[in-house]
Amino acid sequence: MPWAEAFLNTQTNNSENLADSNERHLSYTDALHEALDLALELDKKAFILGQGVNDPIGMFGVTTDLYKKFSEERVFDTPLSEEGMTGMCAGAAMNGMRPVYLHNRPDFLLLTFNQLVNHASKMHYMDEGHTNVPMVIWSAIGRGWGSGAQHSQAVQGLLLSVPGLKIIMPSTPYDAKGLMLSAIADNNPVVIFEHRWLMKQNGYVPEGIYKIPIGEGIYRTRGEDLTIVGSSHAIALAQIALDSLAEEGVTADVIDLRTIKPLDEKIIIESVKKTGRILVVDTGWAMGGVCAEVGCLVAEKAFEYLKAPVRRVGLPDSPTPAGFTLEQYYYPTSEKIADAIKLTISNDK
Amino acid sequence: MPWAEAFLNTQTNNSENLADSNERHLSYTDALHEALDLALELDKKAFILGQGVNDPIGMFGVTTDLYKKFSEERVFDTPLSEEGMTGMCAGAAMNGMRPVYLHNRPDFLLLTFNQLVNHASKMHYMDEGHTNVPMVIWSAIGRGWGSGAQHSQAVQGLLLSVPGLKIIMPSTPYDAKGLMLSAIADNNPVVIFEHRWLMKQNGYVPEGIYKIPIGEGIYRTRGEDLTIVGSSHAIALAQIALDSLAEEGVTADVIDLRTIKPLDEKIIIESVKKTGRILVVDTGWAMGGVCAEVGCLVAEKAFEYLKAPVRRVGLPDSPTPAGFTLEQYYYPTSEKIADAIKLTISNDK
Amino acid sequence: MVKYKYKGQGYSNTDINKYSKELLLNLLFSMIRIRMIEETIESKYHEDQMKSPIHLVIGQEATSVGACAALKVTDHIYSSHRTHGNYLAKGGDLKAMMSELFCRANGCCGSRGGSMHLIDKSVGMMSTSAIVSGIVPIANGAAMASKMKNEGRVIGVFFGDAAMEEGAFWESLNFAILKKLPIIYLCENNFYSVCTPLDKRQPASVELFDKAAGFGIEAKQIDATNLLLVYETVLEAAEKARNGGGPTFIENVAYRLRGHGGAGDDSKSGYRGLDEVDSWQNICPIHTLQNEMKNHNLIDENTINDFQNRTQLEIDEAFHHAVSSPNPSEDSLMQHVYAD
Amino acid sequence: MVKYKYKGQGYSNTDINKYSKELLLNLLFSMIRIRMIEETIESKYHEDQMKSPIHLVIGQEATSVGACAALKVTDHIYSSHRTHGNYLAKGGDLKAMMSELFCRANGCCGSRGGSMHLIDKSVGMMSTSAIVSGIVPIANGAAMASKMKNEGRVIGVFFGDAAMEEGAFWESLNFAILKKLPIIYLCENNFYSVCTPLDKRQPASVELFDKAAGFGIEAKQIDATNLLLVYETVLEAAEKARNGGGPTFIENVAYRLRGHGGAGDDSKSGYRGLDEVDSWQNICPIHTLQNEMKNHNLIDENTINDFQNRTQLEIDEAFHHAVSSPNPSEDSLMQHVYAD
Ligand SMILES: Cc1ncc(C[n+]2csc(CCOP(=O)(O)OP(=O)(O)O)c2C)c(N)n1
Ligand SMILES: Cc1ncc(C[n+]2csc(CCOP(=O)(O)OP(=O)(O)O)c2C)c(N)n1
Ligand SMILES: [Mg+2]
Ligand SMILES: [Mg+2]
């Protein structure tokens, strides 16, 4: 799809900080590739599977040629069978392996909810902690280029209330690598949602093993006027929006959740106590899901500090249209987020 | 399971209003049975399917002997195949039929998310409204009697953000019948979550056809101190909790949502404008889902009227334990809800 | 390396004289038209105006055309992501298709579907899914409706070899056999799922149609570069279904001559042998039928050229129609989320 | 009406002399013990102290016992909701089981699982699922782990006839064949899913094992009222799996003599013939083996009585243990949601 490739290049937020040229920079996909490479090297129990992981392109470049280095036993293509393969991963994980199962699109996870929600997330609890299920399910949200209703969904919100599951949504190459390593090392089922619009982004990525604690958010910027909470590509958009308001003197705490489950309540509440205002941004539907959870949380636990209504920017309550023009109306843009920021700071109680 | 039956009898809130003995009273299951009977009678395109619908017991009594009256062509048992049967329902619905597919437990819906979320809910949008998908998916939440992690889930929260879907959670025999009739008449995929602890409840149920508008909540009681929002069995618990505080003079608007999608924002906001306080109760997990959505909504759209933090009472963030003692700790009780009410009204800003 | 060899017999066992010249011309022309349309799409895809993920049917046209021709106009079809051939063969409107690919308001799905969701209920192209095997249970439901309403309508459902790796496929097959549904399962076995060959996904020791047969369905494997074989087999299956004889499974073996998605062939990347692609070029379903017809003096170059010229005009017009059509408006975005 | 007839040959084709007396006694006793335990559970279930949905294996014990005996102690098993027989046959601890049924803190799952989740990893009863067919893909993963770690461990997975209606079952079978996984699929065909007979769910024209065979797996159907047939067949399959020969599918045909769930038989409700149940009572796997052993002078009434008396003591003790065990504490509720 030539136009899609071209499109991706223009949409990518190349916010690479070139100031410190001594730093080692990698693209988001390369960072992920490095994480997988290291994990396979380090832990003989780790293995990688998924439709297309051994393709010439290799899952957007994330798995390219890993099978050549580590053998097709440890990096292998699968039958479609998403539900069966997810259960297979759970079973292998319960027996000491560390599977990492990659999907092109989160839409395909909807085939696997029985194994993911009814099984993998519950096994540890059900047998009183005797069984661990250290598996990673990875998928990349496909926004734009005509993906349409069945190939574009950001379904993290559907999984948010599932006990026993961890959910990761990295926004930088640094986090993509560090969180992947943490996820593989974690003894629980972990779902990672990447975003295709982040994939060509470059950024600082240290060599070797490092891990980012699962369940901890991070301040991307510090400011006074409001708190912006989000993750993944929504954070990139929020930062552009905030930058566009810099001239007007608007500053914000921008919190990148990085993990949406367990949710870092502490950092959110700490910030709202200071700013008194919150805008939640997410790549998924605004109704239900992450926006709703964070919004409710703040109204529950930081109510006395709130100076303005909670606001959320996510997808409208409709399926994704396939066409380019409709997509422009459908998706939140940095402009729409800037508007929401202005509303949030203007609207005193 | 003798003990389970005995248990159900004791747990059922027999809040039948016997004052007006002229009213026609039916049990919740009989009300549902009557709705299905009427629908099959009225509309030749309606049909009923599900594992056990033709069993001697007939899906808790909801479908008992319907196949005898309407033939096994229109009321039939199915292979397990939940995903395949859900897609079959969608396809039949797309071609003018009105399938009603019944499940013993919502846990089994997790096998069908691909057809439900990726297909049935999107078809109407995807082909620009040319195709309708008038299907009903019905299941009964199984709280208690050792159902455990895989047979007790209230998964409505996982579906809340799915565009194109309607979700119903009735709390009375009257609503169970009326909403079932509305659901079958609706031209969209509708998911109905019943609750097994409501099934033996009795209540006023008119004869014949009547419909309850999907997407409209209703005040169960009117009061001053706070707004309590919920649906299904959570409303029953909330009402007991409120009754227990009557002596202390506590009164509340109790809003039974009846439909959680589309959500009746109007009634919620109207009430919160008056009371300034809100407690959301739900049979599902407190994190994510209905509690979070309603809580966030109020903080967004009725913020200036709020006098106290939003509160929610739902399930803790863990799978359901199977054992009886642990179940008592796990589930919200009317006592826990009463405590939350007290907190909500005490805690001025 | 030629991993997947052609195992058919060409037209050597086919008695072309059984068929009227008119029918043969129609069938051949339908294939040529689909090929020309797709080749035009291909040639313009790099212009980045068709912002939709396409999956070309080039090499596999005989399945679309043969099957749709064997069905009645009132019969219905359902399709996987590889829609173009099925949509056009069933009589879909080319202008509406091109508008859909160009994301215009007057596309057959109003720009909500794109290439993977070419739907036109007026001609019986009822629905599609971009989820592999997702359309199969839905087609079963259509067949169930046909049966319950006693419509005598037959349902055809198209899907790839990889769809048979999805559990829902087998759930559907079981149900269709159990209920004797009037449905024809049209497996398009092209040996690949994206870049993954069949033997990495299913044991090489078993044929697809044999697995289906094991479930108790009448199942056939056919050389689907031979359009008349497809036609004949589907005709028989449709007849049976219409008479209450239940479902049939047909494994249509043909080769995808282009990449999985997008324009052009992607075999240079190494996932399949260039010689394999070459070997199948030689048994292109259009050329083989054309040659057979020429050998029987049923067609000549002039007639073909004539048709091609007319078709090129039609295609140019459709493209022009599409690019000059309006984009959808913002207020249409939230329409049709729910039906009234 | 006897819809599902016994089609086996009893022990007429079995050469019982091939087996040591010790083995035979162990196998018989294991079945008798399971039966006695379940009968005791049944007799006390109405007291409403075992607050757990039970699914008795009465009538089908030979599958549990024969299969587990044929596996090595270090082999692993996985099970559907019908757990009791499999748990006990694999060496599960009776006290821990009874505590689990009585929802006590020292149950084998600490009261988090109940009857449908009797798990004891120390004896290789690795996991269960209450979702029909849910455990099958998981068992596949266990087999994959065994293969990747080169452990030589064989996996057995128990499931009912209805599990074969779930797509995930066929996805798993395909994968196991593709990867030659060391797994044995132990289908327990008792003709019913709750009250629904097999022919309302799967076409009567095809046998379950034939469908599996169609996928390319070695598949057998056996009379699973004959414990030695089960034992022999699983022994062979395990040997093959251990030697890299891949998976085997075994359809174990036996009858569930009690209701689907709970205590007692529920056939009066009419979903199956009382005469059908009666006809299978006659070929109870325990009685048939016992008689065969008596006929060969391998056992007498005294030995049986002795064993029964000892077992009754053991059972009484286990029940006593359970009812006098502590309930779980409130602070344990939120433990083990996540692993460290
Ligand atoms: C459930 C699901 N998994 C994965 C994909 C990604 N995908 C899109 S097309 C395709 C190939 C399918 O192969 P096949 O069914 O043989 O059809 P073909 O493309 O060869 O015509 C795949 C894997 C998908 N769309 N849906
Ligand atoms: C996915 C799913 N659907 C439905 C059920 C309800 N259910 C529990 S046991 C059972 C019967 C299963 O029959 P079978 O697999 O033959 O096992 P059996 O009980 O006969 O041993 C059913 C339908 C379930 N647990 N899981
Ligand atoms: Mg293919
Ligand atoms: Mg059974």
Side-chain angles (χ1 to χ4, degrees), chain A residues 5 19 21 42 81 90 145 151 176 197 203 207-208 233 242 279 289 298 301 314 324:
Chain A
E5 288 312 311
S21 55
L42 200 76
S81 315
W145 69 94
H151 271 51
W197 285 26
E207 280 185 85
H233 184 250
L242 191 61
L279 170 67
V298 166
K301 301 200 176 163
F324 184 74

Side-chain angles (χ1 to χ4, degrees), chain D residues 60 82 160-162 188-194 201 256:
Chain D
Q60 307 174 241
R82 204 168 293 284
D161 43 289
E188 301 166 276
N189 182 6
N190 60 12
F191 312 113
Y192 290 90
S193 164
V194 193
R201 300 178 280 116
R256 151 167 77 64

Side-chain angles (χ1 to χ4, degrees), chain C residues 161 188 190 192-193:
Chain C
D161 43 288
E188 302 167 274
N190 61 12
Y192 291 90
S193 165

Side-chain angles (χ1 to χ4, degrees), chain A residues 20 43 49 100 122 146 169 171 174-175 246 278 284 307 342 344:
Chain A
D20 182 354
D43 188 347
L49 70 165
V100 184
K122 293 179 168 49
M169 298 187 64
S171 75
Y174 181 92
D175 284 355
I278 183 159
K307 291 185 278 192
K342 281 192 255 177
T344 308

